[in-house]
Amino acid sequence: MIMVIGTFFGVIITVNMFMAWQAARTWSGLVVPNTYVASQEFNSKVAAQRQMAASGIAGKLSVEGGIVTYAISHPETGPVDVEKVVINFLRPVGTDQDFTVELNRTAAGIYTAVHDVRPGQWIAEVKASDGDTLVVHEANRFFVVGE
């Protein structure tokens, strides 16, 4: 009976140690470098997001065959041109596969870049700016299917 109980608790402890090791190795737990500063900037960021949403300008992300495309448009005036479009591709958990891509204008309101995006779940944080003005800032979660 002592061996059964010892084996039972040995398995439980071993699994817990393995899970703790995996959790510590794969995610830093860091969301923002300084939570106090982030809390002080929260209201201004919310106001800026509301202003961007009120403008009606929206973007659409597409990732297919190693080509990243982002289209920016306004429902009434059509395509919107900006100076710079940068996309941060982030894995929901872990930072070892994260990367940033700057897109180039290929047509009115259309920006593309060639970059292989590995299969799986991603968060794309898009920042489209015209000079110092942030025109679009959004984050979308999407899934890339393996070929």
Side-chain angles (χ1 to χ4, degrees):
M1 191 62 186
I2 291 175
M3 286 183 57
V4 170
I5 292 172
T7 303
F8 174 77
F9 283 109
V11 169
I12 300 280
I13 291 169
T14 302
V15 169
N16 282 336
M17 296 287 282
F18 175 74
M19 297 293 271
W21 178 74
Q22 284 286 73
R25 187 178 68 87
T26 59
W27 188 49
S28 67
L30 185 65
V31 177
V32 293
N34 187 328
T35 56
Y36 178 75
V37 172
S39 71
Q40 298 302 306
E41 296 172 345
F42 179 78
N43 287 338
S44 62
K45 287 182 179 180
V46 169
Q49 283 297 109
R50 285 185 179 149
Q51 184 178 4
M52 275 188 263
S55 73
I57 297 173
K60 181 171 176 21
L61 176 66
S62 170
V63 178
E64 290 183 27
I67 299 175
V68 178
T69 305
Y70 193 71
I72 306 172
S73 64
H74 187 276
E76 295 172 4
T77 60
V80 175
D81 284 327
V82 295
E83 190 176 304
K84 186 176 185 180
V85 177
V86 176
I87 303 178
N88 296 315
F89 286 89
L90 313 166
R91 287 288 195 186
V93 176
T95 58
D96 57 329
Q97 295 180 12
D98 296 355
F99 62 93
T100 301
V101 174
E102 186 169 341
L103 284 69
N104 299 310
R105 183 180 183 273
T106 54
I110 307 292
Y111 300 83
T112 61
V114 176
H115 197 289
D116 186 38
V117 181
R118 296 175 71 180
Q121 198 167 43
W122 291 92
I123 297 171
E125 179 192 20
V126 181
K127 290 183 180 180
S129 57
D130 201 21
D132 290 335
T133 305
L134 198 56
V135 178
V136 177
H137 182 202
E138 63 181 5
N140 296 306
R141 190 177 286 236
F142 67 98
F143 193 83
V144 174
V145 178
E147 296 179 30

